[in-house]
Amino acid sequence: MRASSRPSSLRRRLTGGLAGAGALLAGLAGVPHAAAASTPSTAPVDVYPAVGPTTSILDHRALLGDVVEPQWYESNIPFVDLPDKDVQSTYYYRWRTYKEALKYTGPKDGWILSEFLGPVGYSAPFGGINAAAAHHVYEGRWLRDSRYVDDYLRYWLQGTGSEDKEPNDGKGTTSTDWAHQYSFWSVDAAVARAKVTGDWDFVEGMLPELTKQYEQWKGNFDPALGLYWQTPVWDAMEYTASSYQSDDPYHGGEGYRPTINAYQYGDALALGTLYQRTGDSAKASHYRAEAASLEKAMEAWLWDDDAKFYEHVARDDNPTRAKLADREEIGFVPWYFDMPPAKNSVAWAQLTDPQGFAAPFGPTTVERRSPWFMHDALSGCCRWDGPSWPYATSQTLTALANLLDDYPAQSYVSRDDYYDLLRGYALTQRKNGVPYVAEAHSPDEDRWIYDSAGHSEDYNHSTYTDLVLNGLLGVRPQTDATLELEPLVPTGWDWFALENLAYHGHNVSVVWDRDGSHYGKGAGLTVWVDGVQTAHQAQLTALTVRVRRDAPAPLPTLVDDFANVSETGYPRATASYTWSGDKPENAIDGQDFHLDVPSTRWTTWSSPNREDWLEVDLGAPTRIADLRVSFYDDGGGVRTPDSFALQYADAAGTWHDVPGQTRTPAVPQRGVLNRVVVDPPVTASRVRILPMRNDGGAVGITALQSWRPVLDTAHVAFRGLVDGAVPVRPDQPVTVAADVTSTEKFRRASVSLLLPTGWTAQPLTATQIDRLDPGATFTARWSVTPPTDVDLSADAPVRVVVTPDKSPGRTASAVAPTRYTFDPADFPHTLWSDTFDTDRLADYRVDSPFGERAPDFSVHDGALHASGSGRTGALLAAPVTGSAAGTAVVVEPESFAGTQPEDSLFAGLSAGSGDNALLWYNNNFRTSGVDVRVGGSSRGDDVTGGCCASVTWAPGDRFAAVVLGGTLTTWVEHAGTWSRLRTAPVSRGVDPTVLASWSPAVGLRSDGGTLALDRVDVLGR
């Protein structure tokens, strides 16, 4: 059927959620969205990747200890058994912290890794920070499940992490995209990973993006010296020894640094490798030549032949290109990439020098003999002028392993030094006697000095497991069909074991047992591949093992339809009760870790109810087939439930048990992921879980997920979106269009449109694909009409789903929010209007939320004036209440005072000096946001929607505060066009029915001078 054909069946009016015929509806043209529409069953995908044939030498559960979800570790990580239990326990702890840092962001970007477990203001979208991204890739290259790091690399190179950001925004001084916010050796890391996985197709497929990532650093290249420069803070290092010798100790003066030049050297060599593999010898030679040129320039300008070290050279006000007098730990970084010549190995004498970098909890970040050593380091985070820093320790240990394995023998450092440094690093990662990593440690005392509660815990900014595998145990991946083993373990070790190392699509196990008595597998060094012994030798020396290079079997792409990292729009989580320290949204925030602080959980601690529920409102019908629940259990007041119910809501809002459930495990177990396969799947908009304890005690959830396998070969994209959304108006039809493309030919698939409650759709084209060839596009269109009483603040989603007839379990889909643009005409009832032609000030109530003297209010010349000397501010509350159906407060300023810092306008709802929900605009800073006070206390970003929107007011512009239900949206009108500024989920702090009873209000606040308003209108729906 051609896309342009329109059979008579398509002219049927569709009401509810599913618009379009096809297999998803079992031949029906549409069903009400809230009913659980059954769809054909399909075999569920595995939760974890299959390990495959291997050995059974170690007791994995005993090694893991009491971790949550041990099955994840069993399926993903290499297991080690070491004589040094401190090094070993830190190894398993660091896999736990890596798992905690995994964050699922949604269908566009999938998985990323976070640096901090909680959000920070300077991160890229979803919390990505590229400063340690290469560390994340190096560490994660050993995971069997390739989807985590695949997604993460795509995020930085192709996805949201590669998108534009404003330069000079304080979040990367000159960078124009997030992937260049901080220095980042991305190409080297991607190639290092491919050496482990054997999946060269993946990294070669991103060769254009990897090349672009490298080339965009050329803005920092100085052709006169042949070197790159970087600002220390954007090298992830503020307050360094070099920074203190500039006029900006925090950022540091721009300089030619060993770091950025070594990173670019490593990336250039990696590009040479990739271009050679893809048959482009010319480009391979080009990038290898660039690497050689960098190596030569670094020797000429950054190597100090007197200090025998690589050092920072200031870019500005330094005509002689004098080198920094202080050795910094960054001088070891070039060996991370095998960059220096062998003669420069003398630099490593500083590692163990008591006046160099040696420390009980080191190495230090600047040599001890420097006058800047620990300068102000105890005054607060973050100063890299002496503290022991895991980020740098990781680089130094990787560099040291390369020196010992890849360079000629030298007399400065030995394998014992590697082990001593690694063991010291392991012991540094302790707090109260248990494994712990934060931001920076004292070099001489057993304490973390940069360790903020709720911020620094389990800080994912370094490597450790990679240092054990690649360094200590000597697993040296290769580009060919071999694996080199060059262990750096102490010569006195009589045994160690490595099991289930995922390498080139195979399982590798290694045992060293000097006399064969420890493991009973024979004396010497033995290697197994897929459970079959393939190599053996008597001595613990270097060994090359043949391992056939097979890329691992591809794993299915999955989408969690419940995930909402931003906690705005849909899906929405609500609950019958939530402890004050938690949020329902935490259960669907894409993270799953089980810490007390910080937390990502919903709990019912102190609930008065015998039974509570957690609901996810998807906003539009969604296929539910594979639900997964991670219960929180602190071993005290919040425990694993004894049972739980799963329910969906029908069109009338009545809840029913989800049919066709198969649960694994059959009853909830502590520390185990609970999976519910729904067969046949159901389609519903609202789902809830009711976890219950027999004793009525508190329960908690850290993750509630709904996974769906994706049809990778098809792609769906909406047409005609405005700022990423479908524009809508109450009871007004709008055309929704979507394009379907495919990388492979497929036949017969339905294209369905899923809509929110009460919305209607009329197909305008065919919605059944008979055949789609690669390169061709199938376009489906519908006429969609929201109901008259639609919630204009909801941004409810619409979803287009492509379902092949032959494999209905795998779908391709796209989701877009709908977005209403404010129009006063949609609020036809005038509740209050004041044009200030007459003085009606006596009708208003004066509220004082700022605790300041009220300005002198007066009405003259057709405007309200607020004047005063010094700081004044107050609200004028109109003598009416808002409309329960929706209220808009529209205000037109005449002029501002021109004072600073306060020169502000307010509009919204107020119930006195301590209870307000207000739009604010500060004309001095040209910014706008939302303030919410309840009981005299200001509420945070979770209620106000965060700060801030940039606005430049011009005479004639108007502002509007629109309250619908429990949501406050703020708007500005310029040249006749309204634009949304902020969305504030005020209902998180104020019950919507209470909010609707508050008085519409306007306010003025300044530091002297006079502000004036032309008009105030309060409109209702």
Side-chain angles (χ1 to χ4, degrees):
M1 182 182 295
R2 293 168 51 117
S4 59
S5 63
R6 298 177 58 188
S8 59
S9 62
L10 295 178
R11 292 194 289 269
R12 283 182 259 173
R13 185 75 169 176
L14 302 178
T15 303
L18 302 177
L24 186 63
L25 301 181
L28 299 177
V31 300
H33 86 278
S38 296
T39 59
S41 62
T42 183
V45 300
D46 293 334
V47 174
Y48 309 106
V51 174
T54 186
T55 54
S56 298
I57 299 168
L58 303 178
D59 184 342
H60 298 175
R61 292 300 173 92
L63 289 167
L64 288 172
D66 187 24
V67 298
V68 175
E69 200 180 343
Q71 299 85 352
W72 183 91
Y73 299 88
E74 185 73 55
S75 296
N76 274 293
I77 72 168
F79 284 81
V80 301
D81 185 32
L82 308 175
D84 189 324
K85 298 309 175 187
D86 291 315
V87 173
Q88 176 178 296
S89 64
T90 307
Y91 174 86
Y92 290 107
Y93 162 72
R94 287 301 299 268
W95 276 125
R96 193 197 88 193
T97 65
Y98 195 89
K99 182 178 184 294
E100 289 171 352
L102 292 169
K103 179 187 290 189
Y104 182 79
T105 64
K108 177 183 177 182
D109 292 305
W111 293 96
I112 68 166
L113 283 129
S114 61
E115 177 178 319
F116 298 94
L117 294 180
V120 293
Y122 55 85
S123 68
F126 308 129
I129 303 174
N130 76 318
H135 279 334
H136 299 158
V137 174
Y138 263 86
E139 197 90 329
R141 62 180 175 157
W142 305 103
L143 290 175
R144 189 178 313 279
D145 194 330
S146 59
R147 291 170 291 195
Y148 300 120
V149 181
D150 281 356
D151 284 353
Y152 190 51
L153 284 168
R154 291 191 193 102
Y155 168 83
W156 287 119
L157 298 168
Q158 299 172 331
T160 302
S162 69
E163 292 176 356
D164 293 344
K165 63 182 270 303
E166 289 294 324
N168 304 311
D169 61 354
K171 302 175 183 178
T173 303
T174 59
S175 62
T176 58
D177 64 87
W178 293 108
H180 291 84
Q181 181 182 15
Y182 294 92
S183 303
F184 180 15
W185 56 106
S186 59
V187 194
D188 167 83
V191 167
R193 178 171 180 260
K195 289 180 180 179
V196 174
T197 65
D199 187 2
W200 289 95
D201 289 343
F202 174 81
V203 68
E204 289 166 9
M206 290 198 298
L207 190 48
E209 290 83 3
L210 289 165
T211 303
K212 177 183 176 183
Q213 176 73 10
Y214 169 86
E215 291 290 344
Q216 281 188 235
W217 285 112
K218 293 291 178 68
N220 288 37
F221 186 70
D222 183 344
L225 273 66
L227 290 173
Y228 292 84
W229 58 266
Q230 180 61 296
T231 309
V233 73
W234 306 124
D235 227 2
M237 289 172 254
E238 56 268 52
Y239 293 115
T240 67
S242 58
S243 300
Y244 279 118
Q245 298 172 65
S246 74
D247 59 2
D248 184 356
Y250 173 74
H251 291 92
E254 283 73 18
Y256 308 100
R257 297 169 60 77
T259 47
I260 185 67
N261 287 285
Y263 301 160
Q264 286 294 93
Y265 171 86
D267 279 5
L269 282 185
L271 285 174
T273 296
L274 292 175
Y275 277 112
Q276 193 66 51
R277 289 184 58 86
T278 56
D280 194 333
S281 298
K283 284 189 176 180
S285 298
H286 168 78
Y287 286 109
R288 287 168 179 159
E290 287 203 0
S293 178
L294 265 178
E295 180 182 4
K296 182 178 179 181
M298 186 119 104
E299 290 305 302
W301 297 106
L302 302 188
W303 175 255
D304 187 334
D305 208 36
D306 294 326
K308 305 299 182 187
F309 214 72
Y310 291 102
E311 294 166 345
H312 173 106
V313 173
R315 186 193 69 180
D316 303 327
D317 301 322
N318 184 19
T320 65
R321 301 305 182 203
K323 301 173 183 66
L324 191 75
D326 311 88
R327 298 181 183 92
E328 297 179 281
E329 191 179 0
I330 59 174
F332 293 123
V333 170
W335 278 272
Y336 189 107
F337 305 95
D338 286 342
M339 186 180 188
K343 67 180 181 64
N344 289 0
S345 300
V346 63
W348 287 91
Q350 298 298 322
L351 183 68
T352 56
D353 188 330
Q355 291 303 307
F357 298 93
F361 299 96
T364 61
T365 40
V366 69
E367 61 181 336
R368 289 181 180 271
R369 61 177 66 88
S370 168
W372 299 103
F373 177 71
M374 295 296 287
H375 177 72
D376 287 340
L378 302 182
S379 299
C381 189
C382 299
R383 289 163 170 81
W384 308 123
D385 57 4
S388 174
W389 186 26
Y391 179 98
T393 302
S394 303
Q395 292 181 319
T396 300
L397 276 162
T398 300
L400 178 56
N402 288 347
L403 175 73
L404 296 171
D405 284 344
D406 302 340
Y407 281 74
Q410 38 70 41
S411 60
Y412 308 108
V413 284
S414 68
R415 64 195 296 166
D416 290 334
D417 294 312
Y418 182 88
Y419 170 69
D420 289 344
L421 188 60
L422 180 67
R423 175 171 171 75
Y425 182 34
L427 293 174
T428 298
Q429 297 177 73
R430 292 292 185 275
K431 185 175 181 179
N432 299 325
V434 297
Y436 182 84
V437 62
E439 297 182 67
H441 199 281
S442 167
D444 296 312
E445 300 174 7
D446 189 8
R447 65 187 180 98
W448 291 96
I449 58 175
Y450 304 153
D451 182 17
S452 301
H455 177 71
S456 305
E457 293 89 351
D458 293 353
Y459 187 43
N460 186 37
H461 199 242
S462 57
T463 61
Y464 181 83
T465 63
D466 184 70
L467 302 173
V468 172
L469 297 169
N470 188 233
L472 182 67
L473 301 186
V475 180
R476 312 294 281 185
Q478 304 298 309
T479 57
D480 60 12
T482 64
L483 172 65
E484 292 186 5
L485 298 175
E486 299 183 54
L488 296 176
V489 301
T491 54
W493 276 17
D494 291 330
W495 53 268
F496 71 80
L498 166 66
E499 188 166 52
N500 285 5
L501 178 88
Y503 182 76
H504 287 190
H506 301 276
N507 279 314
V508 175
S509 297
V510 180
V511 163
W512 163 247
D513 194 345
R514 192 183 301 276
D515 60 10
S517 63
H518 193 80
Y519 295 107
K521 299 294 182 181
L525 183 66
T526 308
V527 180
W528 292 262
V529 177
D530 295 335
V532 177
Q533 182 176 322
T534 59
H536 175 79
Q537 64 182 31
Q539 302 302 315
L540 185 59
T541 56
L543 175 64
T544 299
V545 182
R546 182 80 179 172
V547 182
R548 190 176 68 251
R549 192 176 63 215
D550 295 324
L555 297 170
T557 301
L558 301 177
V559 168
D560 176 11
D561 287 317
F562 282 6
N564 185 349
V565 177
S566 67
E567 298 185 3
T568 60
Y570 288 90
R572 292 179 176 175
T574 56
S576 56
Y577 171 88
T578 304
W579 181 58
S580 60
D582 301 323
K583 296 187 299 184
E585 294 86 353
N586 288 346
I588 60 170
D589 65 358
Q591 295 180 278
D592 181 12
F593 56 86
H594 293 249
L595 302 180
D596 184 42
V597 177
S599 69
T600 177
R601 67 187 180 213
W602 164 77
T603 71
T604 64
W605 175 249
S606 298
S607 173
N609 306 321
R610 174 75 183 178
E611 176 182 295
D612 283 293
W613 49 260
L614 173 70
E615 177 188 337
V616 178
D617 183 350
L618 293 147
T622 304
R623 185 177 188 270
I624 308 295
D626 188 353
L627 292 166
R628 302 177 194 178
V629 190
S630 183
F631 291 110
Y632 178 76
D633 189 326
D634 62 10
V638 181
R639 303 307 304 267
T640 303
D642 296 294
S643 62
F644 64 93
L646 282 172
Q647 298 180 334
Y648 70 92
D650 65 18
T654 302
W655 291 95
H656 306 273
D657 289 337
V658 172
Q661 298 181 42
T662 301
R663 299 187 177 191
T664 307
V667 295
Q669 294 180 13
R670 184 176 189 266
V672 174
L673 185 70
N674 291 263
R675 187 188 197 191
V676 181
V677 174
V678 181
D679 189 12
V682 300
T683 299
S685 290
R686 297 168 60 202
V687 178
R688 71 178 184 180
I689 183 170
L690 299 89
M692 293 158 280
R693 282 172 55 182
N694 294 337
D695 62 4
V699 295
I701 291 175
T702 60
L704 177 59
Q705 307 160 339
S706 179
W707 292 99
R708 169 174 54 85
V710 172
L711 182 66
D712 286 317
T713 57
H715 177 71
V716 185
F718 282 93
R719 274 192 178 190
L721 299 182
V722 178
D723 294 329
V726 177
V728 295
R729 293 279 305 279
D731 202 31
Q732 298 294 313
V734 61
T735 297
V736 174
D739 291 335
V740 182
T741 57
S742 179
T743 58
E744 296 180 2
K745 181 172 67 176
F746 73 86
R747 295 179 180 275
R748 296 202 58 78
S750 65
V751 184
S752 303
L753 178 67
L754 294 83
L755 299 172
T757 302
W759 295 45
T760 59
Q762 175 71 45
L764 302 176
T765 65
T767 56
Q768 179 74 28
I769 301 173
D770 286 341
R771 169 175 169 163
L772 188 63
D773 294 321
T777 299
F778 178 93
T779 301
R781 292 184 177 86
W782 298 264
S783 177
V784 174
T785 305
T788 303
D789 60 350
V790 62
D791 182 351
L792 300 178
S793 66
D795 291 353
V798 294
R799 184 187 301 270
V800 173
V801 180
V802 176
T803 307
D805 289 3
K806 290 186 177 180
S807 55
R810 295 179 185 269
T811 60
S813 69
V815 180
T818 57
R819 187 158 298 148
Y820 166 74
T821 297
F822 174 65
D823 186 339
D826 295 326
F827 293 75
H829 306 295
T830 300
L831 306 179
W832 177 260
S833 180
D834 198 341
T835 60
F836 304 111
D837 292 325
T838 59
D839 186 344
R840 302 164 66 189
L841 286 175
D843 294 333
Y844 291 92
R845 182 184 73 238
V846 178
D847 293 340
S848 301
F850 316 118
E852 299 161 356
R853 179 169 52 89
D856 296 326
F857 289 111
S858 60
V859 174
H860 57 84
D861 300 323
L864 168 68
H865 298 264
S867 304
S869 59
R871 174 69 60 82
T872 60
L875 301 179
L876 294 178
V880 295
T881 57
S883 168
T887 303
V889 181
V890 183
V891 47
E892 182 176 344
E894 179 182 89
S895 62
F896 285 86
T899 58
Q900 59 180 339
E902 280 298 337
D903 190 13
S904 302
L905 161 77
F906 298 82
L909 299 180
S910 179
S913 298
D915 296 284
N916 331 97
L918 303 167
L919 167 157
W920 59 261
Y921 167 68
N922 186 307
N923 193 58
N924 174 59
F925 293 111
R926 304 292 198 268
T927 55
S928 181
V930 172
D931 279 346
V932 178
R933 292 178 182 82
V934 181
S937 298
S938 295
R939 301 304 301 263
D941 289 353
D942 62 324
V943 176
T944 66
C947 182
C948 298
S950 297
V951 182
T952 300
W953 173 82
D957 291 354
R958 294 190 291 173
F959 292 91
V962 178
V963 178
L964 289 158
T967 301
L968 169 62
T969 56
T970 65
W971 303 82
V972 63
E973 182 194 41
H974 178 72
T977 300
W978 287 96
S979 300
R980 188 188 298 196
L981 298 175
R982 308 300 297 172
T983 299
V986 180
S987 60
R988 294 176 180 173
V990 186
D991 183 274
T993 57
V994 173
L995 182 65
S997 70
W998 291 2
S999 301
V1002 295
L1004 297 168
R1005 190 183 190 199
S1006 69
D1007 281 296
T1010 300
L1011 297 93
L1013 298 184
D1014 271 338
R1015 181 175 182 138
V1016 176
D1017 291 291
V1018 180
L1019 309 175
R1021 289 189 76 189

